[in-house]
Amino acid sequence: MGEIKVSPDYNWFRSTVPLKKIIVDDDDSKIWSLYDAGPRSIRCPLIFLPPVSGTADVFFQQILALTGWGYRVIALQYPVYWDHLEFCDGFRKLLDHLQLDKVHLFGASLGGFLAQKFAEYTHKSPRVHSLILCNSFSDTSIFNQTWTANSFWLMPSFMLKKIVLGNFSSGPVDPMMADAIDFMVDRLESLGQSELASRLTLNCQNSYVEPHKIRDIPVTIMDVFDQSALSTEAKEEMYKLYPNARRAHLKTGGNFPYLCRSAEVNLYVQIHLLQFHGTKYAAIDPSMVSAEELEVQKGNLSASQEEQ
């Protein structure tokens, strides 16, 4: 167990990609942690936003694979923010600090909700060029926790962890999914009380996405067909909200497909970003495009052959 943590890929990632700490708020305690990898010449990178239990390194497999193809990828870990407006304001300041006018966002679960809220928050002066929403939702009321959202800050750490672990898969899973769950439990253990309480507050605070403000943004909805923390109703709501979105379905993958089905997730990310190649919003080094497109076509071909 705990295979991911001791895997050569993870250790290679930790030894080659530095973790940066950035403060953009007046409050010095609000520290953004991030991995920024790939060519700095790219001005519209792909940014990964983690779920409640995740840290920036849960996307290490996407960082390794996509930067290998010439993409610039940033994976984040949030400071402590207690409401969506405060988060959006802090994230905007971070993009200003990194001198990024527009970005592509990949958000997992809570990360996907925050990505949508940020796109909505900046709709008059758009900062989000596209969205990939993985196992995500558009309305916090699906968790039936809006009434407790304001009391998470009072709860001790062990109680908060118990709430989060209650959403992890408890049935039989394949070895790769078991490793992904172990890794996420380990990441969860690394989060302090205020980090966890603030994320649960953002996850459950009464709020929903206003689709008319972000309907012009290209969206890919990525979800799994097996058991995850997301109900079928929540998934259907996302499809209704984004009728023109591309859909990336994974047969299996549970709550953390980016860890246990990384090859499939990476392929879907590449397919999503393909539409921006050759524009100023490309997230890839132009000199790498032809080789990368060839690989995507190969991946697409083998995926469709497997389905048949």
Side-chain angles (χ1 to χ4, degrees), residues 19 21 29-34 50-57 76-83 87 110 114 149 152-157 160-161 164 186-203:
L19 180 66
K21 307 263 186 183
S29 68
K30 294 193 185 301
I31 302 168
W32 290 85
S33 304
L34 60 91
V52 168
S53 55
T55 47
D57 57 355
L76 294 178
Q77 197 166 317
Y78 325 114
V80 173
Y81 289 121
W82 295 99
D83 67 60
F87 165 83
L110 169 65
L114 293 176
F152 286 131
W153 67 279
L154 291 165
M155 295 182 186
S157 206
L160 297 169
K161 284 171 184 170
V164 177
D186 186 70
R187 300 297 83 201
L188 178 64
E189 287 299 327
S190 73
L191 296 174
Q193 191 275 346
S194 57
E195 286 178 291
L196 209 42
S198 65
R199 290 180 186 196
L200 279 166
T201 303
L202 293 176
N203 201 72

Side-chain angles (χ1 to χ4, degrees), residues 140-182:
T140 58
S141 64
I142 61 161
F143 298 109
N144 299 317
Q145 292 265 9
T146 46
W147 56 279
T148 53
N150 292 331
S151 57
F152 286 131
W153 67 279
L154 291 165
M155 295 182 186
S157 206
F158 78 89
M159 199 181 284
L160 297 169
K161 284 171 184 170
K162 199 174 172 186
I163 292 168
V164 177
L165 288 170
N167 288 316
F168 283 22
S169 185
S170 52
V173 292
D174 67 44
M176 287 173 79
M177 285 169 71
D179 285 345
I181 292 167
D182 282 351

